[in-house]
Amino acid sequence: MKALVIRKPQELVIDEINDPNITSEEDVIVQVEACGVCRTDFHLLHGLGFAKYPVIPGHEFVGRIFKMGKLAEKFFKVGQRVVVDPNLPCFLCEWCRKGYINLCLNPINIGVNKDGAFAEFVKVNVKQCYIIPEDVPKEVAILAEPLSCVIHGVETANVEKDEDILIVGGGPIGIIFYKVFHEILKMENVEIVEINTVRIELAQKIGVKNVSVLPAKDKYDVIIETSGTLDGFNLGITHLRPRGRLVQFGVADKEVKGEVPLYEMYKNELKILGSFVNPYTMQKAVKILRDNIDIFKGIVTKEISLEELENLLKDSKSVTNDLKIMVKII
Ligand SMILES: [Zn+2]
Ligand SMILES: [Zn+2]
């Protein structure tokens, strides 16, 4: 099959490789329909600590079951359309056994430490598969994984209906947060701040009303930091109301450290919360997408081929003028 392979950091090729095979009764071979491009894919090319090279990237995908092992046959049928949770915990480590599967010490992460979906076929475990109806367009279906992460972020923030929310960063993730708060949870006071004016226009085009370069209010109850930058964190920490919560969702570089005003944190009972991937939220994401197809249309702003992806990954600058970019495999 044809696949995009990162042989080692900085070395990217499109290669003809062997199709994956069934080797365990829990295996499912998915024929990939489309796969979203994520910032993780760029990090992978430049070298990511927990990656295993060579690796095929791609973890936000929809496809069809092509072949599967005996156990998988009890739950699925060949030809069924599925989205896949790229993260498979071990269920054996201390954190898994406490119920925090996203903090697993031995996770399998499709597209990071196991081959992913920028290929014609990808091998996954049956536990990672979720049926997605035929009428969900592929550009909406591929949002299942990012949406599942956003749902965990929303649950972490523990919002109440009348609270003021500021989302820092108007990329695909910031916009998915906005859509969940404003259009799914019907919250009125939700805003995005974004420094890139092209992205502001893209957000407005798909129905985000409150998006601008600067925050409209002085203080908020909840800040969702999606940029992974120190500037984003600093903006967040200085705009919290008493009992305010800052959710660090954006992935910062390892060496980035922020400063916290200790007196205000104590006096105003501020909380800083991390949110990492998607524990038990894939099913919720699939249901939200299935019931709200129109709300999530338009987040994919560009459809490209595997060959075009090769060039895109080598030149990361072009990405910020789009929202989600999707690679169409078939
Ligand atoms: Zn991703
Ligand atoms: Zn574990």
Side-chain angles (χ1 to χ4, degrees):
M1 66 170 181
K2 192 162 75 169
L4 183 108
V5 183
I6 300 176
R7 288 193 177 138
K8 58 182 188 200
Q10 314 299 346
E11 200 181 313
L12 176 70
V13 288
I14 290 184
D15 214 352
E16 196 57 43
I17 60 168
N18 292 334
D19 291 357
N21 265 323
I22 302 286
T23 51
S24 131
E25 61 171 14
E26 294 187 18
D27 284 349
V28 174
I29 309 287
V30 176
Q31 181 167 28
V32 182
E33 198 180 319
C35 181
V37 180
C38 173
R39 222 182 297 174
T40 307
D41 304 321
F42 291 89
H43 290 310
L44 261 177
L45 179 58
H46 296 116
L48 193 64
F50 55 102
K52 220 182 244 168
Y53 299 95
V55 69
I56 301 170
H59 59 271
E60 304 175 355
F61 58 102
V62 58
R64 229 168 257 289
I65 295 181
F66 184 72
K67 258 198 265 184
M68 60 189 152
K70 278 269 166 297
L71 182 87
E73 280 172 2
K74 289 188 185 169
F75 299 90
F76 294 94
K77 291 190 192 75
V78 167
Q80 253 171 351
R81 193 167 183 241
V82 289
V83 289
V84 173
D85 181 349
N87 306 308
L88 181 66
C90 74
F91 295 109
L92 289 169
C93 73
E94 179 190 353
W95 296 104
C96 280
R97 293 206 157 173
K98 283 180 179 166
Y100 306 110
I101 55 169
N102 57 327
L103 306 181
C104 176
L105 299 175
N106 319 293
I108 288 170
N109 310 108
I110 300 271
V112 177
N113 62 18
K114 189 164 180 272
D115 281 341
F118 290 135
E120 290 172 76
F121 297 96
V122 55
K123 177 154 88 174
V124 304
N125 186 291
V126 62
K127 296 188 188 95
Q128 296 173 277
C129 296
Y130 294 79
I131 292 169
I132 186 105
E134 297 290 333
D135 66 332
V136 179
K138 55 184 176 308
E139 65 271 22
V140 173
I142 60 139
L143 300 176
E145 190 270 343
L147 174 60
S148 71
C149 296
V150 164
I151 292 169
H152 181 52
V154 171
E155 290 175 351
T156 301
N158 200 13
V159 291
E160 282 167 40
K161 196 133 194 166
D162 57 347
E163 288 188 314
D164 289 320
I165 296 178
L166 179 68
I167 298 158
V168 181
I173 287 290
I175 288 174
I176 294 173
F177 265 108
Y178 182 93
K179 298 258 169 190
V180 171
F181 283 128
H182 185 63
E183 290 170 51
I184 305 296
L185 300 175
K186 309 282 181 209
M187 298 182 66
E188 283 306 319
N189 308 315
V190 188
E191 254 179 75
I192 298 181
V193 276
E194 166 60 51
I195 46 175
N196 178 342
T197 50
V198 176
R199 278 198 157 170
I200 290 181
E201 279 169 36
L202 288 170
Q204 285 167 336
K205 228 189 259 175
I206 55 166
V208 177
K209 285 187 208 88
N210 299 327
V211 54
S212 55
V213 179
L214 292 170
K217 300 187 184 98
D218 278 349
K219 303 283 176 186
Y220 297 83
D221 300 294
V222 172
I223 310 242
I224 308 283
E225 203 300 303
T226 75
S227 75
T229 65
L230 188 56
D231 285 346
F233 177 82
N234 286 340
L235 182 112
I237 200 76
T238 51
H239 284 75
L240 284 175
R241 201 169 271 163
R243 295 192 61 77
R245 286 139 278 153
L246 169 69
V247 178
Q248 186 59 46
F249 188 95
V251 187
D253 287 337
K254 264 195 170 165
E255 60 278 8
V256 175
K257 291 191 171 59
E259 277 183 19
V260 177
L262 292 186
Y263 179 77
E264 267 126 81
M265 188 166 179
Y266 146 79
K267 179 71 173 41
N268 292 331
E269 298 198 335
L270 306 181
K271 287 194 180 74
I272 301 173
L273 303 156
S275 178
F276 179 59
V277 298
N278 56 349
Y280 300 112
T281 51
M282 270 299 278
Q283 188 70 52
K284 295 174 193 172
V286 168
K287 184 175 170 7
I288 289 176
L289 291 180
R290 199 183 62 197
D291 297 344
N292 302 278
I293 292 172
D294 287 342
I295 288 177
F296 293 93
K297 271 186 189 162
I299 293 177
V300 168
T301 50
K302 198 184 210 173
E303 201 177 293
I304 61 173
S305 66
L306 213 50
E307 286 74 16
E308 288 168 310
L309 174 65
E310 187 183 1
N311 296 326
L312 180 88
L313 287 178
K314 287 174 179 166
D315 171 27
S316 57
K317 281 178 230 94
S318 53
V319 177
T320 44
N321 290 337
D322 269 289
L323 294 176
K324 182 62 84 184
I325 296 175
M326 180 180 80
V327 179
K328 191 171 162 269
I329 306 286
I330 40 173

